[in-house]
Amino acid sequence: MMASGTPDSQARFGQSVKGLLTEKVNTCGTDVIALTKQVLKGSRSSELLGQAARNMVLQEDAILHSEDSLRKMAIITTHLQYQQEAIQKNVEQSSDLQDQLKHLLK
């Protein structure tokens, strides 16, 4: 401090220092609030990213399950086509047998 100054100048110096200190404390408080808001926002972003990742995994599982179901349905369709062809051949053969029977019974 000032050792040789007048009491009046010392009081003004003290008030000036006190004012600057108050201003710095207020600025620091504002900065802390802004930093806290940013951290909370970042935390929320992290939560949203995590949720999006979980949703992506669920969607991927659903897609894989759907692909598996489509493959199974394609196999079933092929088997049904084979069965339909076999039935059609049997119907044609039974028609031929009926014609032969009619011819024999005449």
Side-chain angles (χ1 to χ4, degrees):
M1 285 231 162
M2 301 175 89
S4 64
T6 63
D8 192 35
S9 66
Q10 287 179 354
R12 277 182 284 169
F13 179 74
Q15 289 297 329
S16 176
V17 169
K18 187 177 177 183
L20 287 172
L21 187 57
T22 302
E23 185 181 323
K24 287 291 184 186
V25 168
N26 287 337
T27 302
C28 283
T30 304
D31 290 347
V32 167
I33 291 170
L35 179 61
T36 302
K37 286 180 181 178
Q38 191 63 36
V39 167
L40 290 174
K41 186 178 179 182
S43 173
R44 181 70 180 137
S45 295
S46 177
E47 288 176 27
L48 292 175
L49 263 168
Q51 183 63 40
R54 286 189 290 278
N55 288 343
M56 183 84 100
V57 168
L58 291 174
Q59 290 300 319
E60 187 176 358
D61 286 346
I63 289 169
L64 291 174
H65 181 71
S66 296
E67 287 176 346
D68 188 48
S69 294
L70 284 172
R71 267 193 299 281
K72 289 176 182 177
M73 288 194 304
I75 291 169
I76 291 170
T77 301
T78 301
H79 286 286
L80 287 172
Q81 287 172 342
Y82 290 147
Q83 290 176 0
Q84 187 260 339
E85 289 171 6
I87 290 170
Q88 191 171 1
K89 285 180 185 176
N90 287 336
V91 167
E92 290 170 5
Q93 286 177 353
S94 83
S95 181
D96 290 345
L97 285 175
Q98 285 177 350
D99 287 345
Q100 289 177 4
L101 247 158
K102 284 180 188 175
H103 183 67
L104 287 174
L105 292 176
K106 284 185 183 179

PDB file of all heavy atoms in Angstrom, residues 31-58:
ATOM      1  N   ASP A  31     -18.516 -16.273 -15.667  1.00  0.00           N
ATOM      2  CA  ASP A  31     -17.785 -17.295 -16.423  1.00  0.00           C
ATOM      3  C   ASP A  31     -18.074 -18.696 -15.897  1.00  0.00           C
ATOM      4  O   ASP A  31     -18.213 -19.651 -16.664  1.00  0.00           O
ATOM      5  CB  ASP A  31     -16.282 -17.015 -16.391  1.00  0.00           C
ATOM      6  CG  ASP A  31     -15.884 -15.787 -17.204  1.00  0.00           C
ATOM      7  OD1 ASP A  31     -16.726 -15.295 -17.991  1.00  0.00           O
ATOM      8  OD2 ASP A  31     -14.735 -15.325 -17.048  1.00  0.00           O
ATOM      9  N   VAL A  32     -18.160 -18.835 -14.569  1.00  0.00           N
ATOM     10  CA  VAL A  32     -18.465 -20.138 -13.967  1.00  0.00           C
ATOM     11  C   VAL A  32     -19.861 -20.593 -14.381  1.00  0.00           C
ATOM     12  O   VAL A  32     -20.075 -21.764 -14.724  1.00  0.00           O
ATOM     13  CB  VAL A  32     -18.324 -20.087 -12.431  1.00  0.00           C
ATOM     14  CG1 VAL A  32     -18.933 -21.315 -11.784  1.00  0.00           C
ATOM     15  CG2 VAL A  32     -16.858 -19.957 -12.035  1.00  0.00           C
ATOM     16  N   ILE A  33     -20.814 -19.674 -14.383  1.00  0.00           N
ATOM     17  CA  ILE A  33     -22.185 -20.011 -14.803  1.00  0.00           C
ATOM     18  C   ILE A  33     -22.188 -20.458 -16.263  1.00  0.00           C
ATOM     19  O   ILE A  33     -22.802 -21.470 -16.618  1.00  0.00           O
ATOM     20  CB  ILE A  33     -23.136 -18.827 -14.569  1.00  0.00           C
ATOM     21  CG1 ILE A  33     -23.327 -18.611 -13.070  1.00  0.00           C
ATOM     22  CG2 ILE A  33     -24.473 -19.041 -15.266  1.00  0.00           C
ATOM     23  CD1 ILE A  33     -24.059 -17.328 -12.705  1.00  0.00           C
ATOM     24  N   ALA A  34     -21.498 -19.713 -17.120  1.00  0.00           N
ATOM     25  CA  ALA A  34     -21.436 -20.069 -18.542  1.00  0.00           C
ATOM     26  C   ALA A  34     -20.771 -21.432 -18.725  1.00  0.00           C
ATOM     27  O   ALA A  34     -21.228 -22.263 -19.519  1.00  0.00           O
ATOM     28  CB  ALA A  34     -20.675 -18.998 -19.324  1.00  0.00           C
ATOM     29  N   LEU A  35     -19.700 -21.683 -17.989  1.00  0.00           N
ATOM     30  CA  LEU A  35     -19.000 -22.965 -18.079  1.00  0.00           C
ATOM     31  C   LEU A  35     -19.895 -24.100 -17.605  1.00  0.00           C
ATOM     32  O   LEU A  35     -19.958 -25.163 -18.233  1.00  0.00           O
ATOM     33  CB  LEU A  35     -17.716 -22.919 -17.243  1.00  0.00           C
ATOM     34  CG  LEU A  35     -16.874 -24.193 -17.223  1.00  0.00           C
ATOM     35  CD1 LEU A  35     -16.395 -24.540 -18.629  1.00  0.00           C
ATOM     36  CD2 LEU A  35     -15.698 -24.023 -16.278  1.00  0.00           C
ATOM     37  N   THR A  36     -20.627 -23.878 -16.522  1.00  0.00           N
ATOM     38  CA  THR A  36     -21.550 -24.892 -16.004  1.00  0.00           C
ATOM     39  C   THR A  36     -22.625 -25.225 -17.032  1.00  0.00           C
ATOM     40  O   THR A  36     -22.938 -26.394 -17.262  1.00  0.00           O
ATOM     41  CB  THR A  36     -22.199 -24.401 -14.700  1.00  0.00           C
ATOM     42  OG1 THR A  36     -21.177 -24.105 -13.756  1.00  0.00           O
ATOM     43  CG2 THR A  36     -23.134 -25.435 -14.113  1.00  0.00           C
ATOM     44  N   LYS A  37     -23.177 -24.185 -17.661  1.00  0.00           N
ATOM     45  CA  LYS A  37     -24.187 -24.408 -18.699  1.00  0.00           C
ATOM     46  C   LYS A  37     -23.613 -25.226 -19.851  1.00  0.00           C
ATOM     47  O   LYS A  37     -24.254 -26.136 -20.377  1.00  0.00           O
ATOM     48  CB  LYS A  37     -24.728 -23.074 -19.224  1.00  0.00           C
ATOM     49  CG  LYS A  37     -25.650 -22.376 -18.260  1.00  0.00           C
ATOM     50  CD  LYS A  37     -26.147 -21.060 -18.842  1.00  0.00           C
ATOM     51  CE  LYS A  37     -27.055 -20.320 -17.870  1.00  0.00           C
ATOM     52  NZ  LYS A  37     -27.497 -19.034 -18.419  1.00  0.00           N
ATOM     53  N   GLN A  38     -22.397 -24.917 -20.249  1.00  0.00           N
ATOM     54  CA  GLN A  38     -21.750 -25.627 -21.354  1.00  0.00           C
ATOM     55  C   GLN A  38     -21.496 -27.090 -20.989  1.00  0.00           C
ATOM     56  O   GLN A  38     -21.711 -27.984 -21.801  1.00  0.00           O
ATOM     57  CB  GLN A  38     -20.438 -24.931 -21.730  1.00  0.00           C
ATOM     58  CG  GLN A  38     -19.828 -25.421 -23.027  1.00  0.00           C
ATOM     59  CD  GLN A  38     -20.720 -25.147 -24.228  1.00  0.00           C
ATOM     60  OE1 GLN A  38     -21.383 -24.131 -24.304  1.00  0.00           O
ATOM     61  NE2 GLN A  38     -20.747 -26.068 -25.161  1.00  0.00           N
ATOM     62  N   VAL A  39     -21.058 -27.327 -19.756  1.00  0.00           N
ATOM     63  CA  VAL A  39     -20.813 -28.703 -19.302  1.00  0.00           C
ATOM     64  C   VAL A  39     -22.116 -29.490 -19.283  1.00  0.00           C
ATOM     65  O   VAL A  39     -22.171 -30.638 -19.728  1.00  0.00           O
ATOM     66  CB  VAL A  39     -20.136 -28.703 -17.908  1.00  0.00           C
ATOM     67  CG1 VAL A  39     -20.158 -30.092 -17.287  1.00  0.00           C
ATOM     68  CG2 VAL A  39     -18.699 -28.203 -18.014  1.00  0.00           C
ATOM     69  N   LEU A  40     -23.184 -28.866 -18.778  1.00  0.00           N
ATOM     70  CA  LEU A  40     -24.478 -29.536 -18.755  1.00  0.00           C
ATOM     71  C   LEU A  40     -24.980 -29.824 -20.167  1.00  0.00           C
ATOM     72  O   LEU A  40     -25.528 -30.886 -20.436  1.00  0.00           O
ATOM     73  CB  LEU A  40     -25.503 -28.694 -17.983  1.00  0.00           C
ATOM     74  CG  LEU A  40     -25.278 -28.601 -16.480  1.00  0.00           C
ATOM     75  CD1 LEU A  40     -26.276 -27.633 -15.854  1.00  0.00           C
ATOM     76  CD2 LEU A  40     -25.390 -29.964 -15.829  1.00  0.00           C
ATOM     77  N   LYS A  41     -24.766 -28.877 -21.060  1.00  0.00           N
ATOM     78  CA  LYS A  41     -25.158 -29.061 -22.456  1.00  0.00           C
ATOM     79  C   LYS A  41     -24.368 -30.210 -23.073  1.00  0.00           C
ATOM     80  O   LYS A  41     -24.918 -31.062 -23.766  1.00  0.00           O
ATOM     81  CB  LYS A  41     -24.915 -27.774 -23.236  1.00  0.00           C
ATOM     82  CG  LYS A  41     -25.420 -27.790 -24.647  1.00  0.00           C
ATOM     83  CD  LYS A  41     -25.167 -26.436 -25.304  1.00  0.00           C
ATOM     84  CE  LYS A  41     -25.632 -26.404 -26.734  1.00  0.00           C
ATOM     85  NZ  LYS A  41     -25.339 -25.122 -27.367  1.00  0.00           N
ATOM     86  N   GLY A  42     -23.064 -30.263 -22.789  1.00  0.00           N
ATOM     87  CA  GLY A  42     -22.228 -31.356 -23.285  1.00  0.00           C
ATOM     88  C   GLY A  42     -22.654 -32.682 -22.704  1.00  0.00           C
ATOM     89  O   GLY A  42     -22.668 -33.708 -23.390  1.00  0.00           O
ATOM     90  N   SER A  43     -23.022 -32.680 -21.446  1.00  0.00           N
ATOM     91  CA  SER A  43     -23.490 -33.900 -20.791  1.00  0.00           C
ATOM     92  C   SER A  43     -24.773 -34.387 -21.459  1.00  0.00           C
ATOM     93  O   SER A  43     -24.945 -35.570 -21.709  1.00  0.00           O
ATOM     94  CB  SER A  43     -23.732 -33.629 -19.307  1.00  0.00           C
ATOM     95  OG  SER A  43     -24.322 -34.742 -18.694  1.00  0.00           O
ATOM     96  N   ARG A  44     -25.657 -33.468 -21.751  1.00  0.00           N
ATOM     97  CA  ARG A  44     -26.925 -33.814 -22.415  1.00  0.00           C
ATOM     98  C   ARG A  44     -26.646 -34.346 -23.820  1.00  0.00           C
ATOM     99  O   ARG A  44     -27.270 -35.311 -24.246  1.00  0.00           O
ATOM    100  CB  ARG A  44     -27.833 -32.582 -22.470  1.00  0.00           C
ATOM    101  CG  ARG A  44     -29.164 -32.812 -23.109  1.00  0.00           C
ATOM    102  CD  ARG A  44     -30.062 -33.678 -22.252  1.00  0.00           C
ATOM    103  NE  ARG A  44     -31.333 -33.850 -22.922  1.00  0.00           N
ATOM    104  CZ  ARG A  44     -31.966 -34.993 -23.000  1.00  0.00           C
ATOM    105  NH1 ARG A  44     -31.485 -36.057 -22.413  1.00  0.00           N
ATOM    106  NH2 ARG A  44     -33.112 -35.065 -23.633  1.00  0.00           N
ATOM    107  N   SER A  45     -25.691 -33.727 -24.503  1.00  0.00           N
ATOM    108  CA  SER A  45     -25.325 -34.194 -25.839  1.00  0.00           C
ATOM    109  C   SER A  45     -24.804 -35.622 -25.766  1.00  0.00           C
ATOM    110  O   SER A  45     -25.118 -36.456 -26.615  1.00  0.00           O
ATOM    111  CB  SER A  45     -24.255 -33.293 -26.452  1.00  0.00           C
ATOM    112  OG  SER A  45     -24.760 -32.005 -26.661  1.00  0.00           O
ATOM    113  N   SER A  46     -24.019 -35.903 -24.746  1.00  0.00           N
ATOM    114  CA  SER A  46     -23.483 -37.248 -24.565  1.00  0.00           C
ATOM    115  C   SER A  46     -24.614 -38.244 -24.325  1.00  0.00           C
ATOM    116  O   SER A  46     -24.603 -39.348 -24.871  1.00  0.00           O
ATOM    117  CB  SER A  46     -22.509 -37.249 -23.389  1.00  0.00           C
ATOM    118  OG  SER A  46     -22.034 -38.545 -23.152  1.00  0.00           O
ATOM    119  N   GLU A  47     -25.593 -37.850 -23.513  1.00  0.00           N
ATOM    120  CA  GLU A  47     -26.752 -38.718 -23.271  1.00  0.00           C
ATOM    121  C   GLU A  47     -27.506 -38.976 -24.570  1.00  0.00           C
ATOM    122  O   GLU A  47     -27.899 -40.115 -24.853  1.00  0.00           O
ATOM    123  CB  GLU A  47     -27.709 -38.057 -22.265  1.00  0.00           C
ATOM    124  CG  GLU A  47     -27.207 -38.016 -20.850  1.00  0.00           C
ATOM    125  CD  GLU A  47     -28.161 -37.252 -19.942  1.00  0.00           C
ATOM    126  OE1 GLU A  47     -29.369 -37.207 -20.224  1.00  0.00           O
ATOM    127  OE2 GLU A  47     -27.675 -36.682 -18.946  1.00  0.00           O
ATOM    128  N   LEU A  48     -27.719 -37.928 -25.351  1.00  0.00           N
ATOM    129  CA  LEU A  48     -28.438 -38.076 -26.616  1.00  0.00           C
ATOM    130  C   LEU A  48     -27.671 -38.970 -27.584  1.00  0.00           C
ATOM    131  O   LEU A  48     -28.260 -39.799 -28.290  1.00  0.00           O
ATOM    132  CB  LEU A  48     -28.697 -36.705 -27.246  1.00  0.00           C
ATOM    133  CG  LEU A  48     -29.684 -35.813 -26.498  1.00  0.00           C
ATOM    134  CD1 LEU A  48     -29.755 -34.436 -27.149  1.00  0.00           C
ATOM    135  CD2 LEU A  48     -31.057 -36.449 -26.448  1.00  0.00           C
ATOM    136  N   LEU A  49     -26.348 -38.804 -27.617  1.00  0.00           N
ATOM    137  CA  LEU A  49     -25.525 -39.666 -28.471  1.00  0.00           C
ATOM    138  C   LEU A  49     -25.623 -41.120 -28.040  1.00  0.00           C
ATOM    139  O   LEU A  49     -25.728 -42.025 -28.870  1.00  0.00           O
ATOM    140  CB  LEU A  49     -24.061 -39.212 -28.411  1.00  0.00           C
ATOM    141  CG  LEU A  49     -23.624 -38.314 -29.547  1.00  0.00           C
ATOM    142  CD1 LEU A  49     -22.271 -37.702 -29.231  1.00  0.00           C
ATOM    143  CD2 LEU A  49     -23.541 -39.093 -30.839  1.00  0.00           C
ATOM    144  N   GLY A  50     -25.585 -41.351 -26.740  1.00  0.00           N
ATOM    145  CA  GLY A  50     -25.717 -42.712 -26.217  1.00  0.00           C
ATOM    146  C   GLY A  50     -27.057 -43.312 -26.584  1.00  0.00           C
ATOM    147  O   GLY A  50     -27.129 -44.482 -26.994  1.00  0.00           O
ATOM    148  N   GLN A  51     -28.119 -42.533 -26.440  1.00  0.00           N
ATOM    149  CA  GLN A  51     -29.457 -43.015 -26.793  1.00  0.00           C
ATOM    150  C   GLN A  51     -29.544 -43.304 -28.291  1.00  0.00           C
ATOM    151  O   GLN A  51     -30.122 -44.311 -28.702  1.00  0.00           O
ATOM    152  CB  GLN A  51     -30.523 -41.989 -26.388  1.00  0.00           C
ATOM    153  CG  GLN A  51     -31.948 -42.443 -26.644  1.00  0.00           C
ATOM    154  CD  GLN A  51     -32.322 -43.668 -25.836  1.00  0.00           C
ATOM    155  OE1 GLN A  51     -31.958 -43.789 -24.670  1.00  0.00           O
ATOM    156  NE2 GLN A  51     -33.027 -44.589 -26.436  1.00  0.00           N
ATOM    157  N   ALA A  52     -28.963 -42.435 -29.095  1.00  0.00           N
ATOM    158  CA  ALA A  52     -28.960 -42.662 -30.545  1.00  0.00           C
ATOM    159  C   ALA A  52     -28.203 -43.940 -30.891  1.00  0.00           C
ATOM    160  O   ALA A  52     -28.636 -44.709 -31.759  1.00  0.00           O
ATOM    161  CB  ALA A  52     -28.336 -41.467 -31.256  1.00  0.00           C
ATOM    162  N   ALA A  53     -27.101 -44.190 -30.210  1.00  0.00           N
ATOM    163  CA  ALA A  53     -26.328 -45.413 -30.460  1.00  0.00           C
ATOM    164  C   ALA A  53     -27.145 -46.640 -30.075  1.00  0.00           C
ATOM    165  O   ALA A  53     -27.162 -47.642 -30.810  1.00  0.00           O
ATOM    166  CB  ALA A  53     -25.014 -45.378 -29.686  1.00  0.00           C
ATOM    167  N   ARG A  54     -27.844 -46.572 -28.930  1.00  0.00           N
ATOM    168  CA  ARG A  54     -28.685 -47.713 -28.512  1.00  0.00           C
ATOM    169  C   ARG A  54     -29.804 -47.942 -29.525  1.00  0.00           C
ATOM    170  O   ARG A  54     -30.109 -49.086 -29.886  1.00  0.00           O
ATOM    171  CB  ARG A  54     -29.252 -47.463 -27.120  1.00  0.00           C
ATOM    172  CG  ARG A  54     -28.217 -47.628 -26.012  1.00  0.00           C
ATOM    173  CD  ARG A  54     -28.848 -47.595 -24.625  1.00  0.00           C
ATOM    174  NE  ARG A  54     -29.344 -46.287 -24.248  1.00  0.00           N
ATOM    175  CZ  ARG A  54     -28.602 -45.305 -23.761  1.00  0.00           C
ATOM    176  NH1 ARG A  54     -27.318 -45.480 -23.568  1.00  0.00           N
ATOM    177  NH2 ARG A  54     -29.144 -44.139 -23.444  1.00  0.00           N
ATOM    178  N   ASN A  55     -30.422 -46.859 -29.996  1.00  0.00           N
ATOM    179  CA  ASN A  55     -31.487 -46.987 -30.991  1.00  0.00           C
ATOM    180  C   ASN A  55     -30.956 -47.594 -32.286  1.00  0.00           C
ATOM    181  O   ASN A  55     -31.638 -48.396 -32.932  1.00  0.00           O
ATOM    182  CB  ASN A  55     -32.128 -45.628 -31.270  1.00  0.00           C
ATOM    183  CG  ASN A  55     -32.978 -45.148 -30.119  1.00  0.00           C
ATOM    184  OD1 ASN A  55     -33.356 -45.914 -29.243  1.00  0.00           O
ATOM    185  ND2 ASN A  55     -33.273 -43.864 -30.092  1.00  0.00           N
ATOM    186  N   MET A  56     -29.740 -47.195 -32.659  1.00  0.00           N
ATOM    187  CA  MET A  56     -29.126 -47.731 -33.880  1.00  0.00           C
ATOM    188  C   MET A  56     -28.923 -49.240 -33.757  1.00  0.00           C
ATOM    189  O   MET A  56     -29.196 -49.986 -34.695  1.00  0.00           O
ATOM    190  CB  MET A  56     -27.798 -47.027 -34.138  1.00  0.00           C
ATOM    191  CG  MET A  56     -27.127 -47.449 -35.407  1.00  0.00           C
ATOM    192  SD  MET A  56     -27.763 -46.551 -36.800  1.00  0.00           S
ATOM    193  CE  MET A  56     -26.487 -45.355 -36.973  1.00  0.00           C
ATOM    194  N   VAL A  57     -28.467 -49.682 -32.602  1.00  0.00           N
ATOM    195  CA  VAL A  57     -28.257 -51.114 -32.378  1.00  0.00           C
ATOM    196  C   VAL A  57     -29.584 -51.861 -32.463  1.00  0.00           C
ATOM    197  O   VAL A  57     -29.668 -52.924 -33.087  1.00  0.00           O
ATOM    198  CB  VAL A  57     -27.567 -51.361 -31.013  1.00  0.00           C
ATOM    199  CG1 VAL A  57     -27.598 -52.826 -30.636  1.00  0.00           C
ATOM    200  CG2 VAL A  57     -26.124 -50.863 -31.051  1.00  0.00           C
ATOM    201  N   LEU A  58     -30.630 -51.285 -31.857  1.00  0.00           N
ATOM    202  CA  LEU A  58     -31.951 -51.917 -31.922  1.00  0.00           C
ATOM    203  C   LEU A  58     -32.444 -52.011 -33.361  1.00  0.00           C
ATOM    204  O   LEU A  58     -32.992 -53.043 -33.783  1.00  0.00           O
ATOM    205  CB  LEU A  58     -32.955 -51.139 -31.065  1.00  0.00           C
ATOM    206  CG  LEU A  58     -32.745 -51.203 -29.557  1.00  0.00           C
ATOM    207  CD1 LEU A  58     -33.719 -50.268 -28.840  1.00  0.00           C
ATOM    208  CD2 LEU A  58     -32.911 -52.623 -29.050  1.00  0.00           C
TER     209      LEU A  58
END
